[in-house]
């Protein structure tokens, strides 16, 4: 007789493993299947996020930032050191150890929550059945009352610059470089390109980023993007906007990248080229032909607002479905679906999903940009406060950037909060909560913020929306 579960999840990234744990917490029997294999040949739960994305990139961002600060800021603090050097092997060892601890932690969480973590390939068959092929065993068919597809995404590969794992690489390989490339090219000035480009730039690489769009960080508020562009330039990142790669040739000395912009055709010599032009939904080998699941024209699994597919009892969550490709969005969809299966009311508020770029300074936002509010026609007001006027930022020696709040002129509701500056990724949580509860700027104005703290800049930006900033001249 075949095994059966209340819920079978395919994929143990932040969408799948969270869905599995939540479903188990509801008292359901749950299996979570995952086939992820790391470069060392070992399988691990956690998907892209823990193994190749969010976590390892942030581990390196932190190391490279400390190196940068030791070189450029310690002196101002009155700290003298000998020559500051880097040991990439030790840095990478730390990164790998963090990944190992967190991915191993998921196996522990599965055990504690009585989720069967199955290592191998999962395939949705017709009629609520899943075929599970263990890494080293025979395929078996599992009965599932409910199936959650959480197969994630993969980097987009360009035919003119195919990945070779050595010279032309994706973001995962770029996180695992064992030495600092002297000259590094990055295709794409999106979140991933900027984060990884700035890691290697701070560690000493000469980095050129080629971006097809004319606007820098087109998805961010213009004021915030302008501050970030200036800071990145100061840090030495050479970002070429409105530039389109037309070819990439691997030679003995590296890669020759051809690109075009308004001024004509150019070529660039680099030792390594990272192609970070986005990610595509990954559904290879996931669906039997008669599974009944439909994909849209871009390959995303079609789902409704509640992540239901067209097949009864089958849901899909995370990067393999429409919407922001972010770990926290993926996890919230996992929670929602597990709750729905358990018969509870649940939803994801797609209007209030924070975005964070973990560069230095960090960039974070939630809600609408000023351009979006303007286009909506709703009368609005804005308030901004620079970190240069914030005591904690001064103490941290990180005064670049600001907090900007956009609120409705009629009822004062906060519509968007945009931050560029120190710890923006942490500060944005207050704004997320404010938007989730439809708070007004007055709510933030009358909320006591600890002094001295970076969060006071959020408080002051809310005050500035009514020209009541107290530590800055109102304009
Ligand atoms: C360099 C980088 C940095 C990033 N930084 C951030 C960040 O700071 N913050 C953020 O929010 N997001 C970040 N992301 C995005 C984030 O990683 C994804 O949004 C998130 O991992 C999506 O989660 P998921 O569970 O949908 O998919 P994934 O994490 O991709 O997990 C899917 C899992 O399913 C498995 N799988 C697929 N098909 C099958 C099958 N048929 N059988 C068995 N297993 C299968 C895969 O092996 C994988 O383990 C980053 C991404 C990258 C690449």
């Amino acid at each position: 007789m075949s095994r059966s579960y209340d819920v079978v999840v395919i994929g143990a990234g932040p969408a799948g493993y969270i869905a599995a744990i939540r479903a188990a917490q509801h008292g359901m029997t749950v299996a979570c299947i995952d086939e992820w294999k790391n470069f060392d040949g070992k399988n691990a739960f956690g998907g892209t996020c823990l193994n190749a994305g969010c976590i390892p990139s942030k581990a390196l961002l932190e190391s490279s930032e400390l190196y940068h600060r030791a070189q450029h800021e310690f002196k101002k603090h009155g700290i003298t050191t000998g020559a500051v050097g880097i040991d990439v092997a030790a840095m990478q060892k730390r990164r790998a150890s963090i990944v190992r601890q967190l991915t191993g932690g998921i196996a522990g969480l599965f055990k504690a929550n009585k989720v069967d973590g199955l290592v191998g390939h999962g395939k949705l068959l017709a009629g609520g059945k899943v075929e599970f092929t263990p890494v080293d065993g025979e395929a078996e068919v599992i009965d599932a009352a409910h199936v959650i597809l959480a197969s994630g995404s993969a980097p987009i590969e360009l035919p003119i610059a195919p990945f070779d794992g050595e010279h032309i690489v994706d973001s995962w390989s770029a996180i695992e470089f064992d030495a600092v490339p002297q000259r590094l090219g990055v295709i794409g000035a999106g979140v991933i390109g900027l984060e990884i480009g700035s890691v290697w730039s701070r560690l000493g690489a000469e980095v050129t980023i080629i971006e097809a769009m004319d606007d820098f960080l087109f998805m961010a508020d213009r004021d915030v993007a302008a501050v970030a562009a200036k800071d990145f330039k100061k840090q030495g990142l050479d970002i070429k906007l409105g530039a389109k790669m037309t070819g990439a040739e691997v030679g003995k000395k590296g890669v020759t990248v051809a690109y075009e912009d308004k001024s004509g055709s150019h070529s660039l010599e680099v030792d390594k080229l990272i192609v970070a032009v986005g990610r595509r939904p990954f559904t290879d080998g996931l669906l039997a032909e008669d599974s009944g699941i439909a994909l849209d024209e871009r390959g995303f699994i079609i789902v409704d607002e509640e992540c239901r597919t067209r097949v009864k009892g089958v849901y899909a969550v995370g990067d393999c479905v429409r919407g922001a490709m972010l770990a926290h969005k993926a996890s919230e969809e996992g929670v929602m679906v597990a709750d729905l299966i358990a018969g509870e009311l649940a939803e994801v508020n797609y209007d209030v999903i924070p975005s964070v770029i973990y560069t230095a300074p960090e960039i974070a936002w939630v809600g609408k940009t000023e351009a979006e509010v303007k286009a909506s026609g709703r009368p609005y007001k804005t308030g901004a406060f620079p970190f240069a006027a914030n005591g904690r930022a001064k103490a941290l020696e990180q005064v670049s950037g600001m907090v900007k709040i956009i609120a409705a002129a009629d009822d004062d509701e906060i519509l968007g909060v945009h931050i560029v500056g120190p710890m923006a990724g942490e500060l944005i949580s207050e704004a997320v909560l404010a938007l989730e509860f439809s708070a007004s700027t007055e709510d933030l104005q009358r909320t006591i913020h600890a002094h001295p703290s970076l969060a006071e800049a959020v408080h002051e930006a809310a005050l500035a929306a009514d020209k009541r900033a107290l530590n800055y001249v109102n304009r």
Side-chain angles (χ1 to χ4, degrees), residues 129-204:
K129 291 189 189 304
V130 171
E131 182 185 81
F132 166 56
T133 311
V135 273
D136 46 11
E138 293 285 301
E140 65 169 304
V141 173
I142 299 176
D143 282 319
H146 307 272
V147 178
I148 303 175
L149 305 172
S151 55
S153 61
I156 291 174
E157 188 166 10
L158 297 175
I160 54 167
F163 299 131
D164 63 9
E166 172 68 22
H167 295 100
I168 304 181
V169 300
D170 64 11
S171 55
W172 185 12
S173 296
I175 286 171
E176 305 218 358
F177 285 161
D178 54 11
V180 182
Q182 214 182 334
R183 302 160 307 170
L184 177 66
V186 182
I187 308 300
V191 178
I192 292 175
L194 282 174
E195 287 188 0
I196 298 182
S198 61
V199 163
W200 294 111
S201 159
R202 286 199 290 249
L203 294 178

Side-chain angles (χ1 to χ4, degrees), residues 10-17 33-37 44-55 57-58 120-123 150-154 171-172 175 191-192 195-196 279 282-286 317-320 324-331 356 358:
I10 303 180
Y17 89 78
I33 302 171
D34 197 284
E35 63 186 354
W36 184 280
K37 196 179 263 183
F45 294 127
T48 306
C49 175
L50 274 80
N51 290 289
C54 325
I55 300 301
S57 63
K58 267 82 247 177
H121 185 78
K123 183 181 203 174
S151 55
S153 61
S171 55
W172 185 12
I175 286 171
V191 178
I192 292 175
E195 287 188 0
I196 298 182
R279 297 179 62 83
F282 180 79
T283 54
D284 302 2
L286 176 71
V317 290
D319 278 11
C320 64
M325 283 185 160
L326 291 170
H328 40 281
K329 174 265 195 185
S331 297
V356 182
Y358 293 86

